Tab-separated table of all heavy atoms in Angstrom:
chain	number	residue	atom	x	y	z
M	76	PHE	N	-157.925	17.939	41.317
M	76	PHE	CA	-158.562	16.652	41.549
M	76	PHE	C	-157.576	15.677	42.186
M	76	PHE	O	-157.911	14.951	43.126
M	76	PHE	CB	-159.087	16.070	40.232
M	76	PHE	CG	-159.629	14.663	40.381
M	76	PHE	CD1	-160.932	14.458	40.772
M	76	PHE	CD2	-158.812	13.569	40.142
M	76	PHE	CE1	-161.431	13.169	40.923
M	76	PHE	CE2	-159.300	12.284	40.299
M	76	PHE	CZ	-160.605	12.086	40.680
M	77	GLN	N	-156.346	15.637	41.649
M	77	GLN	CA	-155.344	14.721	42.188
M	77	GLN	C	-155.007	15.047	43.639
M	77	GLN	O	-154.841	14.150	44.467
M	77	GLN	CB	-154.082	14.759	41.320
M	77	GLN	CG	-154.266	14.077	39.967
M	77	GLN	CD	-153.027	14.166	39.097
M	77	GLN	OE1	-152.426	15.242	38.974
M	77	GLN	NE2	-152.654	13.065	38.478
M	78	GLN	N	-154.904	16.345	43.953
M	78	GLN	CA	-154.618	16.738	45.335
M	78	GLN	C	-155.758	16.314	46.271
M	78	GLN	O	-155.513	15.828	47.378
M	78	GLN	CB	-154.408	18.254	45.409
M	78	GLN	CG	-153.130	18.735	44.750
M	78	GLN	CD	-153.080	20.260	44.639
M	78	GLN	OE1	-153.945	20.963	45.180
M	78	GLN	NE2	-152.081	20.763	43.932
M	79	ASP	N	-156.980	16.483	45.802
M	79	ASP	CA	-158.130	16.084	46.605
M	79	ASP	C	-158.156	14.572	46.798
M	79	ASP	O	-158.441	14.067	47.883
M	79	ASP	CB	-159.418	16.552	45.927
M	79	ASP	CG	-160.667	16.078	46.669
M	79	ASP	OD1	-160.831	16.475	47.828
M	79	ASP	OD2	-161.445	15.306	46.085
M	80	PHE	N	-157.823	13.841	45.731
M	80	PHE	CA	-157.787	12.376	45.813
M	80	PHE	C	-156.733	11.927	46.822
M	80	PHE	O	-156.982	11.040	47.644
M	80	PHE	CB	-157.495	11.790	44.429
M	80	PHE	CG	-157.458	10.284	44.413
M	80	PHE	CD1	-158.617	9.556	44.207
M	80	PHE	CD2	-156.272	9.598	44.618
M	80	PHE	CE1	-158.599	8.169	44.204
M	80	PHE	CE2	-156.243	8.213	44.625
M	80	PHE	CZ	-157.406	7.502	44.415
M	81	GLU	N	-155.555	12.524	46.751
M	81	GLU	CA	-154.479	12.156	47.675
M	81	GLU	C	-154.881	12.430	49.122
M	81	GLU	O	-154.566	11.654	50.032
M	81	GLU	CB	-153.202	12.928	47.328
M	81	GLU	CG	-152.541	12.475	46.031
M	81	GLU	CD	-151.371	13.361	45.647
M	81	GLU	OE1	-150.961	14.197	46.483
M	81	GLU	OE2	-150.870	13.227	44.512
M	82	LYS	N	-155.604	13.532	49.324
M	82	LYS	CA	-156.051	13.865	50.666
M	82	LYS	C	-157.057	12.840	51.169
M	82	LYS	O	-156.984	12.386	52.317
M	82	LYS	CB	-156.670	15.268	50.670
M	82	LYS	CG	-157.129	15.745	52.046
M	82	LYS	CD	-157.702	17.152	51.971
M	82	LYS	CE	-158.189	17.619	53.336
M	82	LYS	NZ	-158.778	18.985	53.270
M	83	ARG	N	-158.006	12.443	50.319
M	83	ARG	CA	-159.023	11.471	50.712
M	83	ARG	C	-158.413	10.103	50.988
M	83	ARG	O	-158.841	9.404	51.896
M	83	ARG	CB	-160.074	11.340	49.610
M	83	ARG	CG	-161.047	12.494	49.521
M	83	ARG	CD	-161.831	12.419	48.216
M	83	ARG	NE	-162.330	11.073	47.951
M	83	ARG	CZ	-162.545	10.583	46.728
M	83	ARG	NH1	-162.294	11.327	45.662
M	83	ARG	NH2	-163.015	9.365	46.569
M	84	PHE	N	-157.421	9.716	50.206
M	84	PHE	CA	-156.861	8.366	50.320
M	84	PHE	C	-155.600	8.314	51.173
M	84	PHE	O	-154.923	7.295	51.217
M	84	PHE	CB	-156.593	7.790	48.922
M	84	PHE	CG	-157.835	7.268	48.260
M	84	PHE	CD1	-158.729	8.131	47.653
M	84	PHE	CD2	-158.137	5.917	48.279
M	84	PHE	CE1	-159.886	7.660	47.055
M	84	PHE	CE2	-159.286	5.432	47.687
M	84	PHE	CZ	-160.170	6.313	47.072
M	85	ASN	N	-155.301	9.430	51.837
M	85	ASN	CA	-154.212	9.398	52.807
M	85	ASN	C	-154.644	8.542	53.989
M	85	ASN	O	-155.738	8.716	54.534
M	85	ASN	CB	-153.882	10.814	53.276
M	85	ASN	CG	-152.726	10.828	54.255
M	85	ASN	OD1	-151.710	10.188	54.018
M	85	ASN	ND2	-152.885	11.549	55.350
M	86	ILE	N	-153.834	7.571	54.383
M	86	ILE	CA	-154.269	6.642	55.417
M	86	ILE	C	-153.819	7.126	56.798
M	86	ILE	O	-152.693	7.597	56.977
M	86	ILE	CB	-153.754	5.215	55.140
M	86	ILE	CG1	-152.243	5.184	54.886
M	86	ILE	CG2	-154.479	4.620	53.952
M	86	ILE	CD1	-151.706	3.800	54.586
M	87	PRO	N	-154.715	7.048	57.795
M	87	PRO	CA	-154.408	7.544	59.149
M	87	PRO	C	-153.206	6.821	59.753
M	87	PRO	O	-153.012	5.615	59.552
M	87	PRO	CB	-155.688	7.235	59.934
M	87	PRO	CG	-156.755	7.081	58.903
M	87	PRO	CD	-156.080	6.504	57.704
M	88	HIS	N	-152.418	7.583	60.526
M	88	HIS	CA	-151.216	7.028	61.142
M	88	HIS	C	-151.147	7.433	62.608
M	88	HIS	O	-151.715	8.463	63.017
M	88	HIS	CB	-149.966	7.514	60.395
M	88	HIS	CG	-148.722	6.754	60.736
M	88	HIS	ND1	-147.861	7.146	61.747
M	88	HIS	CD2	-148.190	5.618	60.206
M	88	HIS	CE1	-146.852	6.289	61.817
M	88	HIS	NE2	-147.027	5.350	60.898
M	89	ILE	N	-150.480	6.620	63.394
M	89	ILE	CA	-150.314	6.887	64.827
M	89	ILE	C	-149.770	8.290	65.079
M	89	ILE	O	-150.181	8.987	66.014
M	89	ILE	CB	-149.368	5.841	65.459
M	89	ILE	CG1	-150.017	4.448	65.459
M	89	ILE	CG2	-148.965	6.241	66.867
M	89	ILE	CD1	-151.216	4.320	66.357
M	90	THR	N	-148.863	8.744	64.211
M	90	THR	CA	-148.219	10.044	64.418
M	90	THR	C	-149.180	11.217	64.208
M	90	THR	O	-148.847	12.347	64.560
M	90	THR	CB	-147.008	10.194	63.483
M	90	THR	OG1	-147.408	9.935	62.134
M	90	THR	CG2	-145.905	9.212	63.867
M	91	ASP	N	-150.351	10.945	63.621
M	91	ASP	CA	-151.349	12.013	63.497
M	91	ASP	C	-151.807	12.473	64.876
M	91	ASP	O	-152.106	13.651	65.090
M	91	ASP	CB	-152.560	11.533	62.698
M	91	ASP	CG	-152.205	11.144	61.270
M	91	ASP	OD1	-151.150	11.594	60.788
M	91	ASP	OD2	-152.976	10.385	60.650
M	92	ILE	N	-151.883	11.537	65.818
M	92	ILE	CA	-152.328	11.828	67.183
M	92	ILE	C	-151.151	11.962	68.133
M	92	ILE	O	-151.171	12.750	69.079
M	92	ILE	CB	-153.282	10.719	67.673
M	92	ILE	CG1	-154.474	10.590	66.731
M	92	ILE	CG2	-153.769	10.995	69.095
M	92	ILE	CD1	-155.318	11.848	66.627
M	93	PHE	N	-150.100	11.184	67.852
M	93	PHE	CA	-148.886	11.217	68.686
M	93	PHE	C	-147.691	11.624	67.824
M	93	PHE	O	-146.948	10.773	67.332
M	93	PHE	CB	-148.631	9.839	69.318
M	93	PHE	CG	-149.775	9.326	70.147
M	93	PHE	CD1	-150.695	8.442	69.615
M	93	PHE	CD2	-149.939	9.720	71.466
M	93	PHE	CE1	-151.750	7.965	70.371
M	93	PHE	CE2	-150.984	9.253	72.237
M	93	PHE	CZ	-151.897	8.367	71.681
M	94	PRO	N	-147.519	12.926	67.594
M	94	PRO	CA	-146.440	13.399	66.703
M	94	PRO	C	-145.062	12.945	67.151
M	94	PRO	O	-144.146	12.809	66.326
M	94	PRO	CB	-146.573	14.925	66.773
M	94	PRO	CG	-147.963	15.187	67.249
M	94	PRO	CD	-148.302	14.045	68.154
M	95	ASP	N	-144.883	12.719	68.453
M	95	ASP	CA	-143.582	12.328	68.973
M	95	ASP	C	-143.434	10.815	69.131
M	95	ASP	O	-142.513	10.340	69.801
M	95	ASP	CB	-143.334	13.003	70.327
M	95	ASP	CG	-143.354	14.524	70.221
M	95	ASP	OD1	-142.907	15.039	69.176
M	95	ASP	OD2	-143.816	15.186	71.173
M	96	ALA	N	-144.361	10.059	68.539
M	96	ALA	CA	-144.306	8.594	68.656
M	96	ALA	C	-142.967	8.078	68.138
M	96	ALA	O	-142.515	8.458	67.051
M	96	ALA	CB	-145.451	7.959	67.890
M	97	HIS	N	-142.341	7.231	68.953
M	97	HIS	CA	-141.005	6.709	68.620
M	97	HIS	C	-141.139	5.473	67.742
M	97	HIS	O	-141.983	4.620	67.972
M	97	HIS	CB	-140.246	6.367	69.902
M	97	HIS	CG	-138.836	5.953	69.663
M	97	HIS	ND1	-137.923	6.760	69.026
M	97	HIS	CD2	-138.179	4.803	69.982
M	97	HIS	CE1	-136.759	6.137	68.962
M	97	HIS	NE2	-136.888	4.944	69.532
M	98	SER	N	-140.328	5.393	66.715
M	98	SER	CA	-140.314	4.209	65.851
M	98	SER	C	-139.121	3.331	66.190
M	98	SER	O	-138.130	3.791	66.784
M	98	SER	CB	-140.269	4.611	64.369
M	98	SER	OG	-139.066	5.298	64.072
M	99	PHE	N	-139.223	2.061	65.798
M	99	PHE	CA	-138.168	1.093	66.071
M	99	PHE	C	-137.833	0.334	64.793
M	99	PHE	O	-138.687	0.200	63.905
M	99	PHE	CB	-138.618	0.080	67.137
M	99	PHE	CG	-139.314	0.698	68.313
M	99	PHE	CD1	-140.698	0.816	68.340
M	99	PHE	CD2	-138.587	1.170	69.393
M	99	PHE	CE1	-141.348	1.385	69.414
M	99	PHE	CE2	-139.231	1.744	70.473
M	99	PHE	CZ	-140.610	1.852	70.495
M	100	PRO	N	-136.621	-0.171	64.685
M	100	PRO	CA	-136.304	-1.045	63.544
M	100	PRO	C	-137.226	-2.255	63.559
M	100	PRO	O	-137.514	-2.812	64.615
M	100	PRO	CB	-134.845	-1.455	63.786
M	100	PRO	CG	-134.304	-0.416	64.705
M	100	PRO	CD	-135.449	0.017	65.573
M	101	SER	N	-137.705	-2.650	62.408
M	101	SER	CA	-138.673	-3.738	62.337
M	101	SER	C	-138.092	-5.055	62.849
M	101	SER	O	-136.924	-5.365	62.608
M	101	SER	CB	-139.159	-3.920	60.896
M	101	SER	OG	-140.066	-4.997	60.813
M	102	THR	N	-138.926	-5.790	63.545
M	102	THR	CA	-138.535	-7.132	64.001
M	102	THR	C	-138.907	-8.181	62.960
M	102	THR	O	-138.718	-9.377	63.185
M	102	THR	CB	-139.249	-7.461	65.327
M	102	THR	OG1	-140.650	-7.263	65.147
M	102	THR	CG2	-138.745	-6.569	66.438
M	103	PHE	N	-139.454	-7.730	61.841
M	103	PHE	CA	-139.821	-8.642	60.763
M	103	PHE	C	-138.740	-8.593	59.701
M	103	PHE	O	-138.610	-7.603	58.980
M	103	PHE	CB	-141.168	-8.244	60.155
M	103	PHE	CG	-141.638	-9.141	59.039
M	103	PHE	CD1	-142.377	-10.282	59.320
M	103	PHE	CD2	-141.348	-8.850	57.717
M	103	PHE	CE1	-142.813	-11.111	58.292
M	103	PHE	CE2	-141.773	-9.665	56.688
M	103	PHE	CZ	-142.511	-10.795	56.971
M	104	CYS	N	-137.931	-9.635	59.631
M	104	CYS	CA	-136.879	-9.695	58.613
M	104	CYS	C	-136.663	-11.149	58.237
M	104	CYS	O	-136.262	-11.964	59.066
M	104	CYS	CB	-135.583	-9.079	59.120
M	104	CYS	SG	-134.266	-9.124	57.879
M	105	LEU	N	-136.942	-11.482	56.995
M	105	LEU	CA	-136.875	-12.881	56.569
M	105	LEU	C	-135.454	-13.352	56.305
M	105	LEU	O	-135.235	-14.537	56.037
M	105	LEU	CB	-137.738	-13.069	55.314
M	105	LEU	CG	-139.230	-12.763	55.515
M	105	LEU	CD1	-140.010	-13.006	54.234
M	105	LEU	CD2	-139.802	-13.613	56.639
M	106	ARG	N	-134.477	-12.442	56.388
M	106	ARG	CA	-133.079	-12.868	56.238
M	106	ARG	C	-132.583	-13.550	57.503
M	106	ARG	O	-131.635	-14.309	57.480
M	106	ARG	CB	-132.203	-11.648	55.921
M	106	ARG	CG	-132.348	-11.119	54.515
M	106	ARG	CD	-131.674	-12.026	53.499
M	106	ARG	NE	-130.251	-12.036	53.694
M	106	ARG	CZ	-129.405	-11.162	53.152
M	106	ARG	NH1	-129.884	-10.180	52.402
M	106	ARG	NH2	-128.111	-11.257	53.347
M	107	MET	N	-133.191	-13.247	58.626
M	107	MET	CA	-132.763	-13.836	59.889
M	107	MET	C	-133.703	-14.983	60.222
M	107	MET	O	-134.847	-14.775	60.627
M	107	MET	CB	-132.794	-12.797	61.017
M	107	MET	CG	-132.061	-13.268	62.261
M	107	MET	SD	-132.142	-12.049	63.568
M	107	MET	CE	-133.761	-12.369	64.179
M	108	ARG	N	-133.281	-16.200	60.037
M	108	ARG	CA	-134.149	-17.344	60.176
M	108	ARG	C	-133.919	-18.100	61.473
M	108	ARG	O	-134.377	-19.220	61.639
M	108	ARG	CB	-133.956	-18.319	59.004
M	108	ARG	CG	-134.092	-17.655	57.649
M	108	ARG	CD	-135.384	-16.879	57.520
M	108	ARG	NE	-136.558	-17.735	57.622
M	108	ARG	CZ	-137.744	-17.292	57.982
M	108	ARG	NH1	-137.912	-16.019	58.303
M	108	ARG	NH2	-138.771	-18.111	58.040
M	109	THR	N	-133.156	-17.520	62.410
M	109	THR	CA	-132.949	-18.181	63.691
M	109	THR	C	-134.232	-18.132	64.509
M	109	THR	O	-135.045	-17.223	64.357
M	109	THR	CB	-131.814	-17.508	64.484
M	109	THR	OG1	-132.129	-16.113	64.599
M	109	THR	CG2	-130.486	-17.668	63.774
M	110	PRO	N	-134.433	-19.090	65.420
M	110	PRO	CA	-135.658	-19.086	66.233
M	110	PRO	C	-135.771	-17.829	67.079
M	110	PRO	O	-134.774	-17.224	67.475
M	110	PRO	CB	-135.495	-20.337	67.109
M	110	PRO	CG	-134.494	-21.181	66.399
M	110	PRO	CD	-133.578	-20.238	65.697
M	111	VAL	N	-136.989	-17.436	67.348
M	111	VAL	CA	-137.235	-16.275	68.204
M	111	VAL	C	-136.837	-16.621	69.632
M	111	VAL	O	-137.285	-17.609	70.203
M	111	VAL	CB	-138.714	-15.868	68.155
M	111	VAL	CG1	-138.977	-14.705	69.089
M	111	VAL	CG2	-139.111	-15.506	66.741
M	112	THR	N	-135.985	-15.793	70.218
M	112	THR	CA	-135.527	-16.024	71.591
M	112	THR	C	-136.139	-14.987	72.513
M	112	THR	O	-136.808	-14.053	72.073
M	112	THR	CB	-133.993	-15.938	71.669
M	112	THR	OG1	-133.596	-14.618	71.269
M	112	THR	CG2	-133.337	-16.962	70.746
M	113	GLU	N	-135.880	-15.130	73.803
M	113	GLU	CA	-136.454	-14.217	74.794
M	113	GLU	C	-136.010	-12.784	74.562
M	113	GLU	O	-136.762	-11.846	74.758
M	113	GLU	CB	-136.067	-14.657	76.215
M	113	GLU	CG	-136.766	-15.922	76.671
M	113	GLU	CD	-138.273	-15.746	76.733
M	113	GLU	OE1	-138.726	-14.657	77.123
M	113	GLU	OE2	-139.007	-16.685	76.382
M	114	ASP	N	-134.739	-12.605	74.149
M	114	ASP	CA	-134.231	-11.250	73.975
M	114	ASP	C	-134.353	-10.770	72.530
M	114	ASP	O	-133.866	-9.710	72.179
M	114	ASP	CB	-132.762	-11.155	74.420
M	114	ASP	CG	-131.911	-12.283	73.842
M	114	ASP	OD1	-132.330	-13.431	74.027
M	114	ASP	OD2	-130.877	-12.011	73.229
M	115	PHE	N	-135.041	-11.565	71.698
M	115	PHE	CA	-135.211	-11.149	70.296
M	115	PHE	C	-135.981	-9.835	70.202
M	115	PHE	O	-135.580	-8.904	69.518
M	115	PHE	CB	-135.946	-12.252	69.526
M	115	PHE	CG	-136.377	-11.851	68.134
M	115	PHE	CD1	-135.452	-11.721	67.125
M	115	PHE	CD2	-137.710	-11.597	67.833
M	115	PHE	CE1	-135.836	-11.357	65.849
M	115	PHE	CE2	-138.101	-11.230	66.562
M	115	PHE	CZ	-137.154	-11.116	65.574
M	116	THR	N	-137.094	-9.737	70.927
M	116	THR	CA	-137.912	-8.533	70.821
M	116	THR	C	-137.296	-7.344	71.537
M	116	THR	O	-137.716	-6.216	71.334
M	116	THR	CB	-139.314	-8.790	71.412
M	116	THR	OG1	-139.171	-9.253	72.750
M	116	THR	CG2	-140.057	-9.828	70.593
M	117	GLU	N	-136.291	-7.591	72.396
M	117	GLU	CA	-135.629	-6.480	73.083
M	117	GLU	C	-134.558	-5.861	72.199
M	117	GLU	O	-134.257	-4.682	72.301
M	117	GLU	CB	-135.008	-6.972	74.399
M	117	GLU	CG	-136.012	-7.503	75.417
M	117	GLU	CD	-136.939	-6.421	75.909
M	117	GLU	OE1	-136.573	-5.241	75.845
M	117	GLU	OE2	-138.059	-6.768	76.351
M	118	GLY	N	-133.953	-6.672	71.339
M	118	GLY	CA	-132.830	-6.166	70.555
M	118	GLY	C	-133.220	-5.483	69.267
M	118	GLY	O	-132.458	-4.689	68.733
M	119	TYR	N	-134.401	-5.781	68.754
M	119	TYR	CA	-134.862	-5.229	67.485
M	119	TYR	C	-133.790	-5.322	66.400
M	119	TYR	O	-133.260	-4.321	65.938
M	119	TYR	CB	-135.311	-3.763	67.660
M	119	TYR	CG	-136.395	-3.618	68.672
M	119	TYR	CD1	-136.154	-3.052	69.923
M	119	TYR	CD2	-137.670	-4.098	68.405
M	119	TYR	CE1	-137.164	-2.962	70.865
M	119	TYR	CE2	-138.677	-4.007	69.342
M	119	TYR	CZ	-138.415	-3.442	70.568
M	119	TYR	OH	-139.403	-3.363	71.506
M	120	PRO	N	-133.441	-6.546	66.007
M	120	PRO	CA	-132.396	-6.705	64.983
M	120	PRO	C	-132.839	-6.117	63.651
M	120	PRO	O	-134.007	-6.212	63.276
M	120	PRO	CB	-132.232	-8.220	64.879
M	120	PRO	CG	-133.553	-8.768	65.316
M	120	PRO	CD	-134.049	-7.831	66.371
M	121	SER	N	-131.948	-5.514	62.955
M	121	SER	CA	-132.256	-4.934	61.653
M	121	SER	C	-131.181	-5.341	60.666
M	121	SER	O	-129.992	-5.240	60.946
M	121	SER	CB	-132.326	-3.408	61.749
M	121	SER	OG	-132.558	-2.845	60.484
M	122	ASP	N	-131.592	-5.850	59.524
M	122	ASP	CA	-130.656	-6.247	58.482
M	122	ASP	C	-130.787	-5.250	57.342
M	122	ASP	O	-131.705	-5.322	56.542
M	122	ASP	CB	-130.982	-7.668	58.007
M	122	ASP	CG	-129.931	-8.193	57.026
M	122	ASP	OD1	-129.161	-7.367	56.514
M	122	ASP	OD2	-129.895	-9.408	56.790
M	123	GLU	N	-129.852	-4.314	57.286
M	123	GLU	CA	-129.949	-3.258	56.282
M	123	GLU	C	-129.720	-3.775	54.871
M	123	GLU	O	-130.032	-3.096	53.908
M	123	GLU	CB	-128.958	-2.138	56.617
M	123	GLU	CG	-129.286	-1.421	57.925
M	123	GLU	CD	-128.298	-0.314	58.240
M	123	GLU	OE1	-127.381	-0.123	57.413
M	123	GLU	OE2	-128.445	0.337	59.284
Side-chain angles (χ1 to χ4, degrees):
F76 174 86
Q77 288 178 314
Q78 290 170 7
D79 176 62
F80 181 88
E81 289 174 10
K82 182 179 179 181
R83 285 167 46 209
F84 281 79
N85 182 46
I86 52 181
H88 194 268
I89 292 293
T90 53
D91 298 340
I92 303 299
F93 303 97
D95 300 325
H97 185 58
S98 64
F99 315 93
S101 178
T102 53
F103 181 87
C104 181
L105 298 181
R106 286 286 294 273
M107 193 181 80
R108 307 307 297 157
T109 55
V111 177
T112 61
E113 289 298 322
D114 48 307
F115 171 73
T116 55
E117 297 295 336
Y119 302 108
S121 177
D122 187 344
E123 295 180 1

